[in-house]
Amino acid sequence: MVASFISEDDVEKILLEQFQALGYANLSDKVIGPDGSAPERASYGDVILRGRLEDAVARLNPHVPVEAREDAIKRIIGDESPHLIEENRRLHRAIVEGLDVEFHAEDGTIRGDKVLLVDFDNPDNNDWLVVDQMTVIEHGHNRRPDVVMFLNGLPLAVIELKNPGTEAANLRAAYNQLQT
């Protein structure tokens, strides 16, 4: 075994500091988790921070009626395909292109518009957050990735860290952990 002067906790702290230097807020799941001091998830099965998503959609799309924005949020939160790759492509497209919505205009006609989930032109209009030690329980499986990166309440990246001084700390071990 290789001696290490840096632990996995040290690596996590350094990573979180780097995210904060980039402008991300950092909260622990002890704060935003369902049992936290300021919960942002109703259950451990929730992986989308709905309040942050709703705030971002309202902020980025004030010209779109509330009902159409709510429809877009329901479409993002709900699964449309049982196939993971297809669902990931759908969500990626929605994040990059926005979601087409229809609504009744004041004159009674049906209009269409696009609900944006991310402001690519002005990144400061977005809500950037990293959450450490976020517990997710799904189908009886309890998982806790080290860091989850959120953009407007949507989880975009999961980071699994390993202790650099452990022989078992390698890319394959981290990959296998993410697969579960």
Side-chain angles (χ1 to χ4, degrees):
M1 182 166 145
V2 177
S4 176
F5 296 102
I6 187 168
S7 70
E8 184 176 330
D9 287 342
D10 294 331
V11 173
E12 184 174 316
K13 287 175 187 169
I14 292 167
L15 176 64
L16 294 172
E17 288 170 2
Q18 290 296 312
F19 271 113
Q20 289 172 342
L22 292 171
Y24 286 73
N26 171 224
L27 293 170
S28 171
D29 200 46
K30 292 177 182 176
V31 173
I32 70 160
D35 300 328
S37 57
E40 293 193 35
R41 302 188 292 147
S43 77
Y44 285 106
D46 294 340
V47 294
I48 293 175
L49 304 178
R50 187 179 181 119
R52 288 175 185 266
L53 176 60
E54 290 171 348
D55 290 348
V57 167
R59 184 175 59 254
L60 300 177
N61 304 280
H63 59 285
V64 176
V66 172
E67 298 81 20
R69 295 190 313 240
E70 289 173 354
D71 176 56
I73 290 168
K74 286 179 189 172
R75 289 170 42 204
I76 283 298
I77 291 175
D79 292 336
E80 290 186 8
S81 173
H83 304 289
L84 182 61
I85 292 174
E86 288 177 26
E87 189 64 10
N88 281 339
R89 284 185 181 138
R90 177 186 77 83
L91 293 171
H92 178 265
R93 191 170 32 260
I95 290 167
V96 172
E97 300 172 6
L99 290 162
D100 292 321
V101 294
E102 290 185 347
F103 53 89
H104 291 281
E106 289 181 13
D107 63 3
T109 61
I110 295 178
R111 288 200 42 221
D113 209 329
K114 196 167 283 281
V115 170
L116 300 178
L117 303 174
V118 176
D119 187 340
F120 290 102
D121 294 329
N122 187 355
D124 290 337
N125 283 341
N126 297 304
D127 177 42
W128 302 90
L129 174 70
V130 287
V131 176
D132 55 283
Q133 302 300 315
M134 183 173 157
T135 299
V136 177
I137 301 173
E138 185 178 48
H139 307 298
H141 297 287
N142 185 334
R143 303 289 182 239
R144 189 174 60 219
D146 294 317
V147 177
V148 180
M149 190 279 286
F150 288 89
L151 175 56
N152 295 335
L154 299 170
L156 293 191
V158 176
I159 300 171
E160 187 57 44
L161 304 168
K162 294 293 174 202
N163 186 332
T166 305
E167 285 184 35
N170 57 45
L171 187 57
R172 180 168 300 285
Y175 173 80
N176 287 338
Q177 189 167 356
L178 285 173
Q179 294 308 301
T180 63

